[in-house]
Amino acid sequence: MQIYLSFLAALMYLAALAIPLTRRRLAASAGMLAWLLHGVSLWQALLAGDALRVGFAVMLSAALWVTVSVYLVENRNVALDGLKFFIFPPAVAVVVLPAIFPGNMIALTGKTTMFPWHVAVALLAYSTLTIAAFHAVIMSLQDKHLHKLQSQTRPWLNAVIDKLPALMTMEKVLFHMITLGFILLTLTVLSGVVFSEQVLGVAFKWDHKTILSLLSWLLFAILLAGRHWRGWRGRTVLNFTLTGFLTLLLAYVGSRFVLEVLLHRSLT
């Protein structure tokens, strides 16, 4: 059932992409239906009785589902129709990934009560910072667009970017997301310490995931401090955001991709 819902959600995302920007209400309805199907499919992939599925495909799918959620909510308040051309294509790709790469089931029986909360907060942190990274990429395209003549870029890209809010407004939204993501990432690190102490008897397990997660946390901390104390803007902000996200991507998704797909090893 889950695989059928995944492919149906992908088809609905494609339908929402194909609907012209002039038919805003129809496009929003199609996007909402795709989001609902994606959510149900993701829920079925994540939970199975007293077990939790963990894997790179599920994490990517969850991150894009949250990204689409934010887009649908924000699009009701600010005209962000053009963003669907950046958000929906990767959603089409990742919604079917859990059916192809199912990952591993981790039994919750015998696990500390902190474990599911740690996973939930980590997933929210990763998802929020994924949204911020998408936003930063779009801002980079928007910035390049503003410094070039209209004739030098493709007409469809002009139409998409012209639908976006002003760059300063986009930057304010970006920092709202980064701040929220940083708070969630901090909670992830702290809850990870508690979980590690309860299960392993040590505060940190110094593996690549821990080191990369802490490095990502440090990069976002420097970015927020630079924004507050030095008024950082523009390309510096975009570079820090994307570097911090890529570091986090390597920590969570990258390691699981290597284990599951390249090495065919279990995560449990």
Side-chain angles (χ1 to χ4, degrees), residues 43-66:
W43 181 264
Q44 291 183 350
L46 274 171
L47 298 175
D50 292 328
L52 181 70
R53 189 181 302 279
V54 178
F56 86 95
V58 171
M59 293 189 72
L60 279 178
S61 183
L64 263 296
W65 184 80
V66 174

Side-chain angles (χ1 to χ4, degrees), residues 48 56 237 245:
F56 86 95
V237 170
F245 168 74

Side-chain angles (χ1 to χ4, degrees), residues 163-182:
K163 290 286 184 180
L164 298 176
L167 196 57
M168 289 186 66
T169 301
M170 294 281 283
E171 190 172 83
K172 289 179 181 178
V173 174
L174 174 65
F175 271 98
H176 289 160
M177 291 186 290
I178 290 174
T179 301
L180 176 59
F182 178 74

Side-chain angles (χ1 to χ4, degrees), residues 71-83:
Y71 163 73
L72 292 174
V73 171
E74 290 296 326
N75 198 34
R76 296 175 63 89
N77 304 316
V78 182
L80 300 174
D81 302 282
L83 282 180

Side-chain angles (χ1 to χ4, degrees), residues 63 67 70 125-139 170 173-182 220 223 237-238 241-242 245:
T67 302
V70 173
Y126 174 73
S127 300
T128 304
L129 293 173
T130 298
I131 302 169
F134 267 111
H135 199 84
V137 170
I138 294 167
M139 284 179 60
M170 294 281 283
V173 174
L174 174 65
F175 271 98
H176 289 160
M177 291 186 290
I178 290 174
T179 301
L180 176 59
F182 178 74
F220 283 113
L223 172 58
V237 170
L238 300 180
T241 302
L242 293 176
F245 168 74

Side-chain angles (χ1 to χ4, degrees), residues 3-268:
I3 188 170
Y4 297 114
L5 287 174
S6 299
F7 281 100
L8 185 57
L11 288 175
M12 288 309 304
Y13 277 130
L14 289 173
L17 268 174
I19 296 172
L21 294 176
T22 52
R23 306 190 68 178
R24 195 168 188 265
R25 184 169 297 181
L26 180 60
S29 299
M32 179 64 72
L33 180 57
W35 173 80
L36 288 172
L37 291 169
H38 187 170
V40 175
S41 170
L42 180 62
W43 181 264
Q44 291 183 350
L46 274 171
L47 298 175
D50 292 328
L52 181 70
R53 189 181 302 279
V54 178
F56 86 95
V58 171
M59 293 189 72
L60 279 178
S61 183
L64 263 296
W65 184 80
V66 174
T67 302
V68 175
S69 304
V70 173
Y71 163 73
L72 292 174
V73 171
E74 290 296 326
N75 198 34
R76 296 175 63 89
N77 304 316
V78 182
L80 300 174
D81 302 282
L83 282 180
K84 74 174 185 178
F85 295 106
F86 298 98
I87 295 174
F88 286 175
V92 171
V94 302
V95 70
V96 298
L97 278 182
I100 302 172
F101 302 104
N104 301 98
M105 300 301 295
I106 299 179
L108 296 177
T109 305
K111 290 286 192 302
T112 173
T113 54
M114 179 62 68
F115 179 72
W117 288 102
H118 170 67
V119 173
V121 173
L123 195 57
L124 285 173
Y126 174 73
S127 300
T128 304
L129 293 173
T130 298
I131 302 169
F134 267 111
H135 199 84
V137 170
I138 294 167
M139 284 179 60
S140 180
L141 292 173
Q142 190 177 13
D143 181 63
K144 291 179 181 178
H145 174 78
L146 292 173
H147 289 86
K148 291 182 179 180
L149 297 175
Q150 294 279 329
S151 59
Q152 291 180 311
T153 55
R154 297 178 181 179
W156 69 268
L157 186 58
N158 291 334
V160 169
I161 294 178
D162 288 341
K163 290 286 184 180
L164 298 176
L167 196 57
M168 289 186 66
T169 301
M170 294 281 283
E171 190 172 83
K172 289 179 181 178
V173 174
L174 174 65
F175 271 98
H176 289 160
M177 291 186 290
I178 290 174
T179 301
L180 176 59
F182 178 74
I183 293 171
L184 291 169
L185 187 58
T186 302
L187 292 174
T188 300
V189 173
L190 293 176
S191 63
V193 171
V194 175
F195 172 69
S196 182
E197 284 183 334
Q198 290 180 353
V199 176
L200 302 176
V202 293
F204 279 105
K205 182 182 178 182
W206 289 105
D207 55 12
H208 66 280
K209 187 180 76 172
T210 300
I211 294 171
L212 289 173
S213 297
L214 289 174
L215 178 59
S216 177
W217 181 90
L218 181 61
L219 287 169
F220 283 113
I222 293 172
L223 172 58
L224 290 173
R227 171 71 170 187
H228 180 75
W229 297 107
R230 304 294 298 273
W232 284 356
R233 296 186 59 201
R235 189 157 297 280
T236 300
V237 170
L238 300 180
N239 288 339
F240 262 92
T241 302
L242 293 176
T243 303
F245 168 74
L246 289 174
T247 305
L248 194 63
L249 183 72
L250 289 174
Y252 284 87
V253 177
S255 59
R256 283 166 170 76
F257 178 82
V258 171
L259 287 173
E260 295 173 36
V261 179
L262 301 183
L263 301 181
H264 304 287
R265 287 169 54 189
S266 172
L267 300 176
T268 56

